[in-house]
Amino acid sequence: MVVGKPFLTAEQIQDKVKTLADMISRDYEGGELVAIGILKGAFMFFSDLVKHIKVPLTIDFIIASSYIKTETTGEVKIYYDIREDITGKDVILVEDIVDTGITLNYLRERFLNRSPRSLKICALLDKKERRLVDVPIDYKGFEIPNEYVVGYGLDFDDKYRNLPYIAIFKKRV
Ligand code: IMP
Ligand code: MG
């Protein structure tokens, strides 16, 4: 297995993170936010993003993982849930990558059931080609091709999350 050279450099990522944070700050001006990071993958993106958001906010996390059983059904397991009461609040879900869409779709419905005032989604990467379930991405970083990527929070076998850039991960032939 090999990690290729940066596909998205640390600088490209940081520029995009600032752009997304500016959009969010503008959209929620005068209000307050609850930012929810989806762990583990979003940990680095989440911490960089909130540093640049100018609106008062509280943070919380959820640990979720999806298991694809067949081509079209996936099950999402929650290992840790948010502690905040989001009823009547403006909420942003922050995710590293949207692949099939199963995880975010599940979490979105789960949080909508708790009657937030609004619920939006911010995802750094969008692997559109792989989508099985439609999910609205309100703040999107980059659309990427159907390649497995690691770094900047994203893992292979729980490794490479600490890389400050994103690289394509290839099986050595
Ligand atoms: P989805 O439910 O298929 O959209 O899965 C999204 C989750 O799968 C993400 O939160 C990631 O943890 C993981 N994932 C999907 N694609 C990749 C990838 O290319 N690299 C690393 N993790 C990925
Ligand atoms: Mg993830």
Side-chain angles (χ1 to χ4, degrees):
M1 300 286 191
V2 284
V3 174
K5 61 178 188 323
F7 170 69
L8 294 167
T9 65
E11 197 185 0
Q12 284 174 304
I13 296 169
Q14 293 308 318
D15 283 352
K16 187 65 82 177
V17 167
K18 285 192 199 98
T19 305
L20 293 171
D22 287 347
M23 288 166 70
I24 293 168
S25 300
R26 218 177 310 124
D27 290 354
Y28 291 89
E29 202 180 344
E32 275 179 39
L33 257 184
V34 181
I36 300 175
I38 304 170
L39 298 178
K40 299 175 191 173
F43 85 99
M44 207 176 272
F45 174 46
F46 184 86
S47 67
D48 283 344
L49 184 76
V50 295
K51 280 181 226 170
H52 299 289
I53 296 178
K54 306 278 193 303
V55 174
L57 59 78
T58 54
I59 64 165
D60 212 336
F61 297 98
I62 185 163
I63 304 182
S65 178
S66 68
Y67 297 94
I68 296 172
K69 286 183 168 169
T70 70
E71 277 284 291
T72 49
T73 61
E75 207 175 274
V76 179
K77 196 164 159 37
I78 307 293
Y79 296 92
Y80 173 86
D81 204 351
I82 57 166
R83 313 264 317 254
E84 288 230 14
D85 178 9
I86 59 167
T87 310
K89 305 209 176 133
D90 289 316
V91 177
I92 289 197
L93 272 179
V94 181
E95 175 65 306
D96 52 356
I97 184 167
V98 189
D99 187 34
T100 63
I102 289 169
T103 308
L104 259 184
N105 184 60
Y106 177 88
L107 293 179
R108 187 172 169 270
E109 309 250 300
R110 184 183 173 92
F111 289 128
L112 281 175
N113 281 335
R114 301 182 193 172
S115 310
R117 191 161 86 121
S118 68
L119 181 66
K120 284 195 182 177
I121 288 170
C122 176
L124 181 66
L125 305 175
D126 179 8
K127 218 191 271 181
K128 228 176 174 173
E129 247 180 84
R130 292 254 309 158
R131 197 77 85 256
L132 296 174
V133 188
D134 224 6
V135 60
I137 307 176
D138 303 283
Y139 304 99
K140 185 196 293 190
F142 304 93
E143 281 186 13
I144 65 163
N146 186 10
E147 301 269 12
Y148 198 84
V149 289
V150 296
Y152 198 67
L154 294 141
D155 73 306
F156 174 77
D157 201 18
D158 241 349
K159 293 191 270 285
Y160 310 106
R161 293 191 196 275
N162 57 316
L163 298 176
Y165 56 87
I166 290 169
I168 291 174
F169 195 72
K170 297 257 187 222
K171 283 189 177 153
R172 216 195 291 270
V173 280

